[in-house]
């Protein structure tokens, strides 16, 4: 079975400051990794994904994440946040075999203050 | 191109009543998924359709939940009778057939409140 842990339920940060949202996963098989974002009153939107290759993945809106297999982590980072980045962020994994099922973490609310 | 559309956006019903949620996937997407988020917890998988067939329904909580996808287009999720613990946000997603590079596109969700 797979599981995803997002330790921080809420992260407050000032505008233009850097931010890191943490994600750790557990799986006995190889997985793909994803970050989704949900802006207020909107659906989930894919931010970035790691399928293979370079462990540093760049996504939309200036976000990036680094896959660390030894630490089973996939932390999300942005060097300078904007007010518009205020949203809830979800880390998810999916098995590399035929399963399409996404396993999500509990989400992290990023609150960017002016 | 239209995204994944869910109806209604909000629903408030009394315990014991029936509610039907609808999802219209992106045109041409064979895969359709239902997920649920209860009380700010993690988003949990409910089931997966490939066209009109249920591929994986391991996440369906109990037999009060019935999902259908007639004709392989839109899908409905019926809860009958609804219980208080069914409250939450129900998300629908769809994706194309390829496994490796499949991105699941999500709808805005239906917020269900059972009182």
């Amino acid at each position: 079975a797979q599981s995803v842990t997002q330790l921080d339920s809420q992260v407050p940060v000032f505008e233009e400051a850097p931010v890191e949202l943490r994600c750790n996963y557990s799986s006995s098989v190889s997985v793909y990794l994803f970050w989704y974002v949900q802006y207020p009153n909107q659906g989930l939107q894919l931010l970035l994904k790691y399928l293979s290759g370079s462990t540093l993945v760049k996504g939309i809106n200036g976000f990036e994440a680094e896959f660390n297999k030894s630490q089973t982590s996939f932390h999300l980072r942005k060097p300078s946040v904007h007010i518009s980045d205020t949203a809830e962020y979800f880390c998810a994994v999916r098995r590399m075999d035929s399963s399409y099922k996404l396993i999500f973490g509990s989400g992290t609310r990023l609150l960017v203050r002016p | 191109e239209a995204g994944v559309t869910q109806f209604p956006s909000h629903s408030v019903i009394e315990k014991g009543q029936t509610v039907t949620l609808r999802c219209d996937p992106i045109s041409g997407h064979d895969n359709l998924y239902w997920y649920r988020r209860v009380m700010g917890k993690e988003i949990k998988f409910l089931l997966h359709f490939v066209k009109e067939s249920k591929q994986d329904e391991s996440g369906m909580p109990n037999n009060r939940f019935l999902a259908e996808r007639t004709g392989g287009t839109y899908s409905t999720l019926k809860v009958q009778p609804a219980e208080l613990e069914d409250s939450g946000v129900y998300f629908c997603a769809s994706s194309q057939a390829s496994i490796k590079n499949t991105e699941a596109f999500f709808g805005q969700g239906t917020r269900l409140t059972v009182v």
Side-chain angles (χ1 to χ4, degrees):
Chain A
Q2 294 75 47
S3 66
V4 177
T5 302
Q6 293 180 249
L7 289 173
D8 304 307
S9 60
Q10 185 165 307
V11 173
V13 64
F14 287 107
E15 192 174 19
E16 297 183 5
V19 70
E20 178 180 84
L21 306 184
R22 296 180 294 168
C23 172
N24 288 85
Y25 70 94
S26 172
S27 178
S28 56
V29 299
S30 295
V31 293
Y32 299 124
L33 299 117
F34 305 83
W35 274 99
Y36 281 85
V37 58
Q38 185 179 23
Y39 297 104
N41 301 315
Q42 295 187 26
L44 293 167
Q45 179 182 359
L46 182 65
L47 205 54
L48 49 78
K49 60 186 176 185
Y50 174 77
L51 302 180
S52 65
S54 173
T55 57
L56 183 62
V57 180
K58 293 189 184 298
I60 62 173
N61 301 336
F63 282 92
E64 63 181 32
E66 185 154 21
F67 170 52
N68 188 318
K69 189 173 183 179
S70 62
Q71 296 186 3
T72 60
S73 67
F74 191 53
H75 301 330
L76 181 70
R77 301 185 184 99
K78 187 170 183 178
S80 176
V81 295
H82 302 287
I83 297 288
S84 59
D85 292 323
T86 294
E88 191 157 19
Y89 293 79
F90 296 90
C91 181
V93 302
R94 196 183 84 219
R95 294 170 58 123
M96 283 189 179
D97 57 15
S98 61
S99 174
Y100 287 73
K101 184 192 311 183
L102 285 165
I103 309 298
F104 285 90
S106 54
T108 298
R109 287 190 178 276
L110 176 63
L111 178 59
V112 182
R113 298 165 173 167
Chain B
E1 180 182 315
V4 177
T5 308
Q6 294 186 244
F7 303 97
S9 56
H10 294 83
S11 180
V12 181
I13 61 171
E14 293 185 349
K15 176 182 173 182
Q17 289 186 323
T18 298
V19 63
T20 300
L21 313 180
R22 171 168 171 149
C23 169
D24 286 75
I26 293 173
S27 178
H29 282 192
D30 289 340
N31 297 288
L32 187 148
Y33 320 84
W34 284 97
Y35 289 84
R36 177 175 74 169
R37 189 182 192 200
V38 174
M39 289 292 291
K41 295 186 177 179
E42 67 271 22
I43 301 169
K44 285 193 172 181
F45 169 84
L46 296 179
L47 89 159
H48 169 210
F49 282 100
V50 177
K51 297 185 180 178
E52 67 275 9
S53 300
K54 292 177 185 175
Q55 186 76 12
D56 180 355
E57 51 184 328
S58 60
M60 294 289 266
N62 51 61
N63 59 10
R64 295 185 294 102
F65 288 75
L66 175 63
E68 295 180 321
R69 193 183 182 195
T70 306
T73 54
Y74 71 91
S75 174
T76 57
L77 180 64
K78 180 189 289 187
V79 185
Q80 179 183 28
E83 297 289 344
L84 297 179
E85 63 264 25
D86 300 333
S87 296
V89 180
Y90 290 76
F91 291 102
C92 176
S94 70
S95 68
Q96 293 180 329
S98 169
I99 289 180
K100 185 175 176 66
N101 294 314
T102 297
E103 175 183 345
F105 293 86
F106 282 78
Q108 292 184 309
T110 293
R111 181 174 295 278
L112 174 64
T113 303
V114 182
V115 297

